[in-house]
Amino acid sequence: MGSESGGVRERTRVAVGVVRFAGDSGDGIQLMGSRFTQAAAERGYDLATVPDYPAEIRAPSGTTFGVSSFQIRFGGDAIRNPGDLADTLVAMNPAALKVHLDGVREGGTVILNTGSFNEKNLKRAGLESDPREDGTLKGYRLVALDIGKQTLDAVSGLGLSRKNAARCRNMYALGLVLWMYGAGIEPARAWLEERFGAGTPVGRANLRALEAGHAFGETAELAAGAPVYDIHPAELTPGLYRTITGGEALAFGLVVGAHKVGRPLFFGSYPITPASPVLHRLAALRDNPDVTVFQAEDEIAAISSCIGASYAGCLSGTSTSGPGMALKTEALSLACAAELPLVVIDCQRSGPSTGLPTKSEQTDLMYAVWGRPGEAPLPILAPKSPSDCFDTVVEATRIAVRFMTPVIVLADGYLVNASEPWLLPNVADIAAVPAKLHTDPEGFQPFMRDEALARPWAIPGTPGLEHRIGGLERDADTGEVSYDPENHQRMSDLRAEKVARVADALPAQKVEVGPPSGKLAVISWGSTYGVVREAVEELRTEGEEVSQIHLRALHPLPRGLGELLAGFDRVVVAELNSGHLRALLRAEFLVDVEGLNQINGMPFLVRDVKAGIRGRLM
Amino acid sequence: MGSESGGVRERTRVAVGVVRFAGDSGDGIQLMGSRFTQAAAERGYDLATVPDYPAEIRAPSGTTFGVSSFQIRFGGDAIRNPGDLADTLVAMNPAALKVHLDGVREGGTVILNTGSFNEKNLKRAGLESDPREDGTLKGYRLVALDIGKQTLDAVSGLGLSRKNAARCRNMYALGLVLWMYGAGIEPARAWLEERFGAGTPVGRANLRALEAGHAFGETAELAAGAPVYDIHPAELTPGLYRTITGGEALAFGLVVGAHKVGRPLFFGSYPITPASPVLHRLAALRDNPDVTVFQAEDEIAAISSCIGASYAGCLSGTSTSGPGMALKTEALSLACAAELPLVVIDCQRSGPSTGLPTKSEQTDLMYAVWGRPGEAPLPILAPKSPSDCFDTVVEATRIAVRFMTPVIVLADGYLVNASEPWLLPNVADIAAVPAKLHTDPEGFQPFMRDEALARPWAIPGTPGLEHRIGGLERDADTGEVSYDPENHQRMSDLRAEKVARVADALPAQKVEVGPPSGKLAVISWGSTYGVVREAVEELRTEGEEVSQIHLRALHPLPRGLGELLAGFDRVVVAELNSGHLRALLRAEFLVDVEGLNQINGMPFLVRDVKAGIRGRLM
Amino acid sequence: MNAPTVPTKPDPSYFASEQTVRWCPGCGDYAILKGIQRALAERARPREDTVFVSGIGCSSRLPYYLATYGFHTIHGRAPAVATGMKIANPDLDIWVVTGDGDGLSIGGNHMLHALRRDIDLNILLFNNEIYGLTKGQLSPTSRLGTRSPTSPGGSSERPVSAVRFALGAGGRFVARALDVQQDRLPEILVRAANHPGASFVELLQNCSVYNDGAFSFLTDREAGPRQRLHVRHGEPLRYGADGEFGLRLDARTMKLEAVEVGPGGCSEEEILVHDEHNPALAGLLATIGPPDFPLPLGVIYCDPAAPASRPVGKAAQPAIRTTDEELTAMLASEGTYQLT
Amino acid sequence: MNAPTVPTKPDPSYFASEQTVRWCPGCGDYAILKGIQRALAERARPREDTVFVSGIGCSSRLPYYLATYGFHTIHGRAPAVATGMKIANPDLDIWVVTGDGDGLSIGGNHMLHALRRDIDLNILLFNNEIYGLTKGQLSPTSRLGTRSPTSPGGSSERPVSAVRFALGAGGRFVARALDVQQDRLPEILVRAANHPGASFVELLQNCSVYNDGAFSFLTDREAGPRQRLHVRHGEPLRYGADGEFGLRLDARTMKLEAVEVGPGGCSEEEILVHDEHNPALAGLLATIGPPDFPLPLGVIYCDPAAPASRPVGKAAQPAIRTTDEELTAMLASEGTYQLT
Ligand SMILES: Cc1ncc(C[n+]2csc(CCOP(=O)(O)OP(=O)(O)O)c2C)c(N)n1
Ligand SMILES: Cc1ncc(C[n+]2csc(CCOP(=O)(O)OP(=O)(O)O)c2C)c(N)n1
Ligand code: SF4
Ligand code: SF4
Ligand SMILES: [Mg+2]
Ligand SMILES: [Mg+2]
């Protein structure tokens, strides 16, 4: 939205806009979304986006299960989640309308691509009657136009095949929506030129469609009832920005984290939804001399290769989701026993088993805490937003190296795919905490410990430190295999104490919003941060006495948390599982922590969280 | 101890005897132990035994890490654990003495095989001086004799090689100890005859050694200070008995359990310490037409083959320990999603990772409860004694079939190898609860549910029920793959509720010992039952107000448990881990449950439990 | 279980379920599905005795599209699940459907052991030389240089040959077929299914989205015939549109040569004759392919020996056969004693 | 990292650790350990650059007995751990020690992929045809009929051939050796270690407790020479105490024959000459063994081709090479915009 654009109509001033694009994969929905996002970002809005893909690669067109969507919320306020309901829905076909109409707020606008509303598509979408005629759309503002035809008209004469010409319809729709929100087409135009080359027929056609869509609004062809908006940019810190997805941020976090501990990064992984973007992003860094990416034959080999690489002196990382985490269980236990640094990123998805691979949940928390036979404690952190994925992973690499331990980072499918603006950090400003490689043979023993209880990192290639480690219990003094009962107790205690001390290296717990004591605290962790924060802030605006406490460290629990909880009459954990953090807090602090839970594969809606809290304030 | 045997000496009357045999694997220690056990059992004693094997297959002789041992506690009282300290230690070599002297009570008897106390063996045992001379044995009653030489003398003239002749020394020692405890040699003689044939030279030599050892005591050659005992048999229910190890009982439980639900048993497993005995015992049943045993290529294949067999209509079972449980994680989640019956026996061992393979712990409880990514609840039971392994597994098979769910049975290495007398059940008296296979195509849907919320068991081969299941989420109404959020919530709730309802099918929680409310309750689960029970009973005899609550079901927690806990001022969970059940109870009941914990690979000692409880009674 | 519920001459559609097929337009899986339905019709086994067990991947969705029993298991484990199923009930006709990633990357070990144990399964490996379902990453059969999201600079990993692997694992029936060849595919599948013991069929399958044209060298109208060597037991190893080429073995060096046959070229007698029973020849055929040789298609190896004894359960019978008394005796089989 | 800390002509004992060796008396592992120490001495690589990575099993305890770096990992995963280690630091000399259960039962998949990827590891598979550490159960190499705690009636599972499997996986260096042959073992190990890429050596190893005498057919003074076929590149495939037997190939049927050589028997020229570069011959040798043929020992296959490009990390260098600025630029590589 680089250039302001007027139009004749009076624009309604609102603080926030929420737009949802929906259609077949072939409709170019994700592209529409990302280009709109870039325009909004460049216009200075804060924003949050989330895509929703079908589980099929190319589902048959017109079906409900083949609908792809993209939602963006943007505006001048601090935007921390992509919003419950859309103001504007762009529905490219009947199936998209059927699936997404529920997601539009009352009185919202529905832009329909009427050309797709033929009998075949209605039937494919499982609709008995035409929603334009059967009252379905009552209560919405309708903008009905044949986007397909308008696009064909716009690009005619450029010599494109009908198929290729029709493909430009997403740009037409994009142009229209940009205009509705008072934005120009500059960023999209620039991108098209870069993508297709300035003068190519495809590039020109796309540009024409974009312009035509924009002009459709601008020239007042748009139906009179359709709203047009004016939204003020946010007051963001000046600087260089980009939008970033959680997947990108997780990848970058590993690269920068490894760099800051001064070790090459070895990333061994196996593709799985929704974690693959992390692998892909890192694989793309093939020119970085400090980044090695290895696609293993399975998750067992992925984490095993990481363990080998860590032993050899790399900062290792791996990423996966539920089924892959399950397969990493045994080797993760080896990493605990061998006390090697390793960052394991779990992009949680709906389970059990294959579950709903493209849907998001927080149902792996207890698995992360307890999911290894035997006593194998390890630190666990969870990022709260796409850009926080970066910071959290950088922190995880530090802990892994400082304490010589595997660390689990609990992201989720929602975070991986969601995006937000990111004020780019200067990597030089990020504190470097170089790993100390042990080199002195004098008195060396592989399980000697420093003040953090970390054992030395003594890598092959170092003369005089030749030693043997492994999964069998080790003597705390000599590092040799030991079956001695007292030693096993001592080593078990040491491993637990070491992980417990990680809490000392992390900030004490604070409230996020509201006073540090009072009637009710809502606890959030991970990706529910943004929704809970908005819910709490709205409730506070509405006069309710409620605070938010957000946890980044799930194990060990942050210092000061117990005291904080003790200050509230009621404590509610909002989480997308059956009550994992709730159980941890109850067991730890003996506080009657309540739960606000949802296991439907979807993020919380702000309204549901508000309702849940309000119910407990009465 | 079939026949009474007199001897000239006055016998000390005691209620209970504790004997420990220790020596090289080559000394035939386990045989000595099992033959002594049989004699004690046949004499009508209640008893408990536990072996301790070296981690090596054949460790070099004379080393401390090669020492093998066997402890038996027997007597007229209800014997529920093999005892903290031995009255009598038979040490076949210096290493055995070094390792086990600590395990003998003050004033106890040490029978030393002096022939092995040469410089070579002292050195191999890492002893600087001869313990017979350096004061090590002060405070013990010493019975020193050259067992090797006495044996050679006894069997001379039978034409055995020196090596084979020397091998009979365990029988000599056995004869002597049997005499000390007032027992005859009949059962051992009968066994030798069966094993080696009546007239064979080896059989005759072993018998001669046995008789000579017995005579050594009987003819008063035994040193005057050495004690001889008289122990009254227990008042056991009359009937046909055998001694049984937990490993055997787990195997038999599966066979009888499957029989009682009316399905063939498929057992797919992969060898691992300490679970292998279950696999071996079942493999030995190759003539049973209803038992199929499959040694898979790994634990993943083991549980996967079980899932396939369950789908095909078998009652499936698998057994493993920590590292193998870890590998079963993913497929176990599939069994939860597909809702198929399956019994998973976890013979817990010391972790993390390979840990101490031959040592026992209860450190897999939380893994069993929470160790699957996503929400994948399942029932968990733990047996309390070797023979209870049978009942627990039979119960597990019933639950698995009744609720169409995988069930975890948490045994441990101690239970697998320990033994006790077992009044043989008549299989006809065990209630049969035959599985109902679904056959009616009318209205069939693979995820329709009965009143227990169990889905139908519809096996291939049944006409008209052809259907497709798998790890993807299923529509609760149609059984087809469903990505619908509401449906996922509903199915998640159904799976959780189904498992929660298992509690209704199990007895409500009762106290085991002591009043159902009061000052302090000690909670035990699994194999710590016997030790805790003895500790509580002793404390009660000593006037302390303390009760024991023992849990068989760990998930879901038994009905009535919360109310019971509320009746005690203090509640202490004694468990061999960092506090797993403690955390579960605190989270569930918000009671300040305390922990009595040990992670040293060894069972609790009664004295330690007593001390731990006493410390909390002051 | 064996009630003759199946029509005597069923139509392939008899084996189709009502599910909407959800592969991408142009995916080779459609053709294979059709081939399977034809093979099922040809064999005319009852639907209720047939089970399709799959792992995870595009190909592994196949069971949904058949009206038989089906189990869409987890990634890589289908051979292990199917092994338990077959041992539990040897009367079932069990097909394993897997992909090159599912069956050779994560699931390679179970594949090895199913073949080694010679479990009577019909294993179909859909090889599109790519991970379809997870959006196009490298698979263990992807060719050197393959560009993918995980190998943006081109793969530097040597691919494995599915056929060579299967032979190395001791497979007794090993074949290779092409998705689009509906004239040959059903026959090969029927032979595989009829083979007693494990049968392994590599199905070359086009992924129209992530690896389109991977097998166009075979399907190409022009060049295809020179790249396809259809092997048939007892027939000479000839190929080309008119069989104008053939394979000859140099006995001293044990090396194969691709030669022209006929006047000016080599004589017919010199051309190797396919013997599907010969493991050495199978091993040889498994190592060849483009650019120097054509790619063998058809039944490469079939060991006619009576099936090696293999693990088979005793659990086929619907009802249990032991009595309470027998089990009571089992419990009492060792070291009993009477207390009074 | 390459400081020449190693004596120029080190004694094998230079590579021995101070640990007491804890195998059973008579275990073949002792001989193999000795052979390895000799090979290490022969190669004279620094101790600190050498790593032994093992899985779980009796054999997998071997790293404890060497004065090099060692990692006793978990059951079956040693090739995967070693792969990460080698990619991370290609300068290391990495040996993988595994058993027939560890490497071919639970770990078969990683073995397949290490060989396929041709990672430069020296893989030693100790094959005693049994599970030693867990007390004698069946392994995937146990012969048909083997009685064990898990096969009390005798095994009914066809064993896999380690060598055939390794070739099927695409192994470029595949050899077989006998524990007790100290005259041959170190040389084969040295060749394996010097081979660029993955090398696979099957070591036939006697388990004196659970499978004693499994290879006595080879070691037998009388019969042994007729059962052992020591293959050597360029030499005819002859065996017997005086080389009185040999292998001949029938080119038409592609079948091997064991024949007597010399007057009355077949002529020397007819005997096949070993060509370790020929995959077809290797495949043939992999399928033979008793009772009809001798068992091939030595380097069965060695692909001299320049090592296929294979995944190798960029992480060898001790220090990192990127700068803060470069990483800042990485973060800013897409879609940046300036807000003021
Ligand atoms: C344990 C586990 N790891 C990873 C995945 C993700 N995954 C699903 S299918 C697949 C690969 C599919 O490739 P292929 O087997 O070749 O099948 P195709 O889709 O090409 O038919 C992967 C990596 C998973 N479902 N489970
Ligand atoms: C996950 C897992 N499963 C099972 C085991 C138990 N286990 C240890 S070694 C072994 C097999 C050993 O056999 P092999 O590899 O042939 O080695 P050997 O002892 O014969 O040298 C098994 C089953 C284990 N340690 N971990
Ligand atoms: S992604 Fe490829 S393999 Fe998967 S359905 Fe589409 S075309 Fe077929
Ligand atoms: S059990 Fe066998 S393989 Fe293991 S150490 Fe003993 S002899 Fe060697
Ligand atoms: Mg594929
Ligand atoms: Mg072995």
Side-chain angles (χ1 to χ4, degrees), chain B residues 277-299:
Chain B
V278 184
L279 169 59
H280 298 174
R281 193 66 194 80
L282 284 166
L285 297 177
R286 63 198 163 96
D287 294 331
N288 183 318
D290 294 328
V291 175
T292 298
V293 172
F294 172 62
Q295 179 183 329
E297 59 269 27
D298 63 11
E299 286 87 353

Side-chain angles (χ1 to χ4, degrees), chain B residues 9 111 143 145 176 179-180 215-228:
Chain B
R9 205 96 59 75
I111 302 176
V143 177
L145 71 164
L176 173 56
W179 182 82
M180 279 178 60
F216 179 84
E218 197 151 345
T219 57
E221 285 185 60
L222 195 56
V228 292

Side-chain angles (χ1 to χ4, degrees), chain B residues 57-58, chain D residues 22-30 57-59 128 130-136 205-211:
Chain B
I57 299 297
R58 297 267 189 283
Chain D
R22 294 191 182 185
W23 289 307
C24 306
C27 179
D29 289 349
Y30 287 98
C58 293
S59 34
N128 53 13
I130 210 78
Y131 285 8
L133 189 69
T134 48
K135 308 199 169 171
Q205 173 241 328
N206 190 45
C207 170
S208 51
V209 173
Y210 296 111
N211 206 11

Side-chain angles (χ1 to χ4, degrees), chain A residues 55 322 333 351 353 355-356 361 363-364 366 370 373-375 471-473 482 485 488-489 578 580 586-587 590 592 599-600, chain B residues 322 333 351 353-356 361 363-364 366 370 373-375 471 473 482-483 485 488-489 578 580 586-587 590 592 599-600:
Chain A
S333 191
S353 192
L356 298 167
E361 252 165 41
T363 45
D364 294 359
M366 276 304 209
W370 288 111
E375 298 285 342
L472 285 166
E473 183 62 288
S482 163
H488 178 47
Q489 179 77 58
S578 64
H580 296 207
R586 288 170 66 94
L590 281 187
D592 188 6
I599 315 175
N600 67 1
Chain B
S333 192
S353 192
T354 314
L356 299 166
E361 253 167 39
T363 45
D364 294 359
M366 277 304 210
W370 288 111
E375 299 285 342
E473 184 62 287
S482 164
Y483 299 108
H488 179 47
Q489 180 76 58
S578 64
H580 296 207
R586 288 169 64 95
L590 282 187
D592 188 7
I599 315 176
N600 67 1

Side-chain angles (χ1 to χ4, degrees), chain B residues 191-214:
Chain B
W191 181 85
L192 283 174
E193 283 186 1
E194 199 190 309
R195 167 84 176 255
F196 297 110
T200 62
V202 180
R204 282 171 63 204
N206 273 290
L207 184 55
R208 280 228 199 134
L210 179 71
E211 288 168 341
H214 203 257

